[in-house]
Amino acid sequence: MKRILRRTVALIAAAVLTVCTQPFSAFAEDEDVLKFPSGATVSSVMNGWKKIDAHPENIKKNNTSSANVSLVFHGDEILYTRYYGCTNIGEHELADENSVFEWGSISKTFTWVSIMQLWEQGKIDLDADIRTYLPDNFFRHLKYDEPITITDIMNHKGGWCEKFYDSTSEDMAAMPSLEEALRNTEPAQTYRPGEVASYSNWAASLAGLIVQRVSGMDYVEYVHKNIFEPLGMKHTSAGPDFTDNPWVREQRMKTMCYELSLHQSYKENEDGTIEDGVIEEYKSKGTCMFNDQLYPCGAITGTLGDLATYAQAFVNDDHPLFQNAETQQKLLSGSSFYGNTDIPCFSYGFDVKEYNYTRTFGHTGATFGCVANMEFDPVSKFGVVGLSNCRDDFPNSLCSSVFGRLKTKNYIGENYEKTDLTPYSGYYSDTRTHAAGMGRFILYMDAFSIDGINAAKVADDVFLEYHSEEWADDTIYSIVENSDGRRGFVNSCSEYLEIKHYVPKLCLLAGFMLCGVASLFILLAKRKLNKAHKAAPLSFAHIITAGQFAKIISLAAMISIVAIRVNGDNDGLTKTEGTVIGVIQIICLALCGLALLAAAYSFISKKKLPYGRIRSLSCFAGNLITVSAMIFFEMYNFWCC
């Protein structure tokens, strides 16, 4: 019901937006009437919010739901603050101005601000190779010799795929330094630098190390001195263990995190009719606190008020975070664009989002237990921030009312030209995945087709994906062709990259799985035949049997990777888990290789056995598929993930 009410508010705001056909003006025809960029008056929208807050159902839910807190500002003025739900449902602890939440990837923007501050001081060159600022021989898994610039990693175009190994620590005493943690978890570089957008927590933390080395200060200390203190953010922590702000740690211990489950419910009325609804069930996940070794990418934790203070700094003409106004303008001027247009898709580490009549900057964030959102328009000076302790309850419901919704007909006109995406048909995968190493097979399991997308042309190779539903935002993309001939669909700092010859590769992966399952049944059948003394073994039977066991174990090892990642409390496998699985796969690969040779010998040998050649051929094929799949998907490669 809470979600239904929130969606109702968004639909009302969207309805208001449809009657507004002129670009936003903070003070429209009546200069005393302040309007949101959506075109709706501030007073009318806020009155609607207040009515929703006062709804009996919402008041009732306030004590039984997770926290979802939001704030709307205009310049240095706070227009609306909403503290809804509980930081601890069991204890009925309501969220308030002292509640703290993890900000997740919004933390990255502190790194980017730090980079721009050092650039402003002439200490960093945004176009210099990052190796200029790092220890010698820092990287071990680079595929390309091209330089990687600071701007590349700010645009998430350093070329790294998603890291495979866990970077959390249970014991802070055993936590490595930032430099050591980066070395331990270095992912493979799978894309050419400056070419493919691949969102990377690891690269953002690498930028934090650069800040630390260039400034000569500990990263956490730098953020406190150059961002927290100038803005008066006294209720925010930047360290992975909160030791830089004990008050934040104390408050964070009070915040429980939740998982939301929705269940259909039915109620019979007095007249015999059935009324259906939705029951929300919140399952506690505890505090969900974690110590991330790569803390610059997501460790900042604080109050809603401090998040608003931070966001307001970017719409402040006094540019409190920078010495010169030009630096703030550059930060929000765009560093990566859609095709050949002047529409930025990313801006020096900040997300850029297009609406009908305005453009916002900011970032979202998510940790194991919390989610966060920050959006602001430096032109109109409106902004929205939100925090929640439930990953299923993203705090962006107010954004549609403030900024409107991106709709194709409002953005490029009623008579827009439809784009035929048929020439780009094929299978694509998110570049933020495991494109190398023993987790490479995951890329092929997550692939999707773009067939059926409704698209409208904005410019050459730039289009909008539009939706028939009124509540859904349309999405802007650009189509790029990379140096290796693969096409990509780019949105913000994310890219969906074409997979060449996807179906044969997927068949190879499916064949690997089927061979593992088939080997299990073959071994069971052999066991029965041996008991009945009816077995007629092939040449090198023991090696062939070992290969069948190896196929089963290899499949189990692959499944274990998926299980650990899905069900684990960490963000990847530990080094020990990865090494053990990798060594097992190497042994399995060797055994299957020997079984392949044994099956080939048995096939060409003159030994006459019932169905001998058929059995040898099937054994040869099964081992060939398994060996080919293990080599192609790098299932053995635990050292370069």
Side-chain angles (χ1 to χ4, degrees):
M1 181 61 72
K2 180 177 71 173
R3 282 190 166 185
I4 294 172
L5 290 172
R6 288 176 179 168
R7 180 168 290 181
T8 302
V9 176
L11 289 173
I12 292 172
V16 173
L17 175 61
T18 59
V19 302
C20 305
T21 58
Q22 299 299 319
F24 166 78
S25 174
F27 296 93
E29 297 176 2
D30 185 347
E31 292 187 355
D32 294 329
V33 179
L34 183 66
K35 287 190 175 183
F36 284 129
S38 66
T41 63
V42 171
S43 58
S44 64
V45 173
M46 289 203 301
N47 286 336
W49 290 339
K50 290 174 183 177
K51 287 181 181 179
I52 293 296
D53 290 343
H55 192 282
E57 186 69 25
N58 261 343
I59 294 175
K60 180 181 178 182
K61 289 276 188 181
N62 196 38
N63 291 313
T64 58
S65 70
S66 62
N68 190 304
V69 301
S70 301
L71 183 150
V72 179
F73 63 83
H74 179 239
D76 60 359
E77 180 184 2
I78 303 299
L79 299 178
Y80 176 79
T81 306
R82 183 175 190 261
Y83 290 102
Y84 185 88
C86 300
T87 54
N88 188 325
I89 297 175
E91 299 296 329
H92 302 294
E93 294 287 344
L94 297 177
D96 59 24
E97 65 275 8
N98 291 319
S99 301
V100 302
F101 304 83
E102 292 157 355
W103 298 0
S105 289
I106 292 177
S107 307
K108 294 180 178 65
T109 64
F110 288 78
T111 306
W112 311 135
V113 167
S114 302
I115 290 284
M116 295 303 291
Q117 288 176 339
L118 294 169
W119 170 81
E120 183 179 55
Q121 298 166 26
K123 297 179 179 180
I124 279 182
D125 180 354
L126 299 181
D127 296 322
D129 191 327
I130 58 175
R131 281 167 279 207
T132 305
Y133 308 105
L134 294 170
D136 293 337
N137 302 315
F138 183 84
F139 300 111
R140 294 173 298 164
H141 306 318
L142 293 186
K143 180 179 179 180
Y144 298 95
D145 294 329
E146 286 91 335
I148 307 165
T149 68
I150 299 287
T151 302
D152 285 339
I153 60 174
M154 294 178 87
N155 288 333
H156 292 283
K157 290 186 176 181
W160 290 287
C161 65
E162 183 73 357
K163 72 180 182 66
F164 185 75
Y165 287 117
D166 177 36
S167 60
T168 61
S169 292
E170 294 184 8
D171 183 7
M172 281 303 301
M175 190 167 180
S177 67
L178 178 58
E179 179 179 333
E180 185 181 352
L182 286 162
R183 290 180 184 271
N184 290 340
T185 57
E186 180 188 350
Q189 186 191 45
T190 52
Y191 314 113
R192 193 176 297 279
E195 186 172 277
V196 175
S198 178
Y199 189 91
S200 175
N201 285 329
W202 187 87
S205 297
L206 181 66
L209 178 62
I210 292 173
V211 169
Q212 188 167 281
R213 288 177 60 83
V214 171
S215 68
M217 299 172 61
D218 176 78
Y219 176 78
V220 174
E221 181 186 353
Y222 181 93
V223 169
H224 269 273
K225 184 175 180 180
N226 294 280
I227 301 179
F228 289 175
E229 292 178 13
L231 298 182
M233 296 170 62
K234 298 181 179 179
H235 302 111
T236 307
S237 166
D241 57 351
F242 309 105
T243 53
D244 58 313
N245 193 322
W247 181 87
V248 170
R249 178 176 179 82
E250 180 182 352
Q251 295 301 113
R252 178 62 183 86
M253 292 295 292
K254 298 177 183 178
T255 300
M256 300 293 110
C257 300
Y258 297 92
E259 182 178 339
L260 175 63
S261 299
L262 300 177
H263 305 283
Q264 197 74 24
S265 67
Y266 301 93
K267 176 184 177 183
E268 184 174 355
N269 299 318
E270 293 181 356
D271 59 0
T273 59
I274 302 297
E275 181 179 344
D276 63 345
V278 176
I279 297 176
E280 296 179 343
E281 180 181 344
Y282 290 91
K283 179 182 178 181
S284 176
K285 298 166 63 179
T287 60
C288 268
M289 291 176 64
F290 69 104
N291 303 316
D292 195 349
Q293 300 169 9
L294 305 180
Y295 52 88
C297 74
I300 289 184
T301 303
T303 61
L304 179 69
D306 270 14
L307 180 55
T309 297
Y310 177 61
Q312 285 174 298
F314 298 106
V315 303
N316 190 333
D317 292 334
D318 292 332
H319 48 86
L321 291 174
F322 305 104
Q323 298 173 4
N324 305 308
E326 291 75 17
T327 307
Q328 181 163 297
Q329 292 169 5
K330 182 177 178 66
L331 178 67
L332 305 177
S333 65
S335 55
S336 182
F337 297 84
Y338 288 108
N340 293 321
T341 71
D342 60 354
I343 306 171
C345 55
F346 213 56
S347 189
Y348 296 100
F350 280 71
D351 285 327
V352 184
K353 189 172 182 180
E354 292 290 302
Y355 290 90
N356 290 324
Y357 307 128
T358 193
R359 176 178 296 156
T360 65
F361 298 80
H363 216 290
T364 58
T367 62
F368 293 149
C370 297
V371 283
N373 187 40
M374 175 181 72
E375 263 185 82
F376 56 85
D377 171 19
V379 177
S380 69
K381 301 190 184 305
F382 279 99
V384 179
V385 294
L387 298 165
S388 175
N389 59 345
C390 177
R391 286 181 60 115
D392 303 301
D393 196 9
F394 193 73
N396 68 337
S397 58
L398 302 184
C399 291
S400 59
S401 298
V402 174
F403 302 116
R405 292 187 180 278
L406 179 62
K407 288 298 175 185
T408 300
K409 63 181 180 180
N410 294 335
Y411 189 70
I412 56 177
E414 291 278 357
N415 300 317
Y416 53 82
E417 178 184 347
K418 293 185 178 180
T419 297
D420 181 14
L421 296 181
T422 303
Y424 308 104
S425 293
Y427 290 90
Y428 294 77
S429 68
D430 192 338
T431 53
R432 188 183 180 182
T433 189
H434 306 293
M438 60 195 299
R440 187 182 177 196
F441 67 90
I442 296 173
L443 182 155
Y444 297 89
M445 297 174 70
D446 292 339
F448 60 92
S449 171
I450 65 164
D451 294 340
I453 291 180
N454 296 316
K457 184 177 180 180
V458 175
D460 290 341
D461 297 326
V462 180
F463 67 94
L464 276 165
E465 178 189 356
Y466 60 86
H467 306 272
S468 58
E469 302 91 341
E470 184 60 34
W471 54 266
D473 292 333
D474 293 347
T475 309
I476 191 167
Y477 290 94
S478 63
I479 302 169
V480 298
E481 184 165 332
N482 297 302
S483 59
D484 61 1
R486 290 188 293 174
R487 290 186 293 263
F489 283 72
V490 180
N491 171 253
S492 188
C493 62
S494 298
E495 184 167 337
Y496 304 98
L497 196 61
E498 181 184 18
I499 305 175
K500 294 285 189 180
H501 312 299
Y502 170 70
V503 173
K505 293 173 183 177
L506 184 64
C507 288
L508 179 62
L509 182 61
F512 168 83
M513 296 178 183
L514 288 174
C515 287
V517 174
S519 291
L520 177 62
F521 287 101
I522 289 172
L523 288 174
L524 291 174
K526 277 186 176 181
R527 186 168 180 268
K528 287 187 176 182
L529 289 172
N530 285 332
K531 283 186 175 181
H533 302 290
K534 295 181 179 180
L538 298 172
S539 302
F540 300 103
H542 293 304
I543 294 177
I544 291 175
T545 300
Q548 288 164 340
F549 274 109
K551 288 194 282 289
I552 298 170
I553 294 170
S554 181
L555 176 60
M558 188 192 80
I559 294 173
S560 70
I561 292 175
V562 177
I564 291 171
R565 294 193 63 83
V566 171
N567 300 316
D569 295 327
N570 301 323
D571 67 341
L573 275 68
T574 65
K575 280 283 188 179
T576 300
E577 291 169 338
T579 302
V580 169
I581 292 175
V583 170
I584 288 173
Q585 292 286 34
I586 290 173
I587 295 172
C588 290
L589 177 60
L591 290 174
C592 288
L594 290 174
L596 176 68
L597 297 175
Y601 176 82
S602 181
F603 180 80
I604 63 176
S605 69
K606 297 181 179 180
K607 185 177 180 181
K608 302 294 184 180
L609 292 172
Y611 307 104
R613 284 184 173 270
I614 295 176
R615 290 163 57 195
S616 298
L617 185 61
S618 63
C619 182
F620 178 85
N623 283 292
L624 179 62
I625 291 172
T626 301
V627 169
S628 299
M630 293 180 73
I631 292 174
F632 179 79
F633 295 107
E634 302 180 24
M635 295 181 183
Y636 56 88
N637 189 352
F638 63 90
W639 56 87
C640 183
C641 292

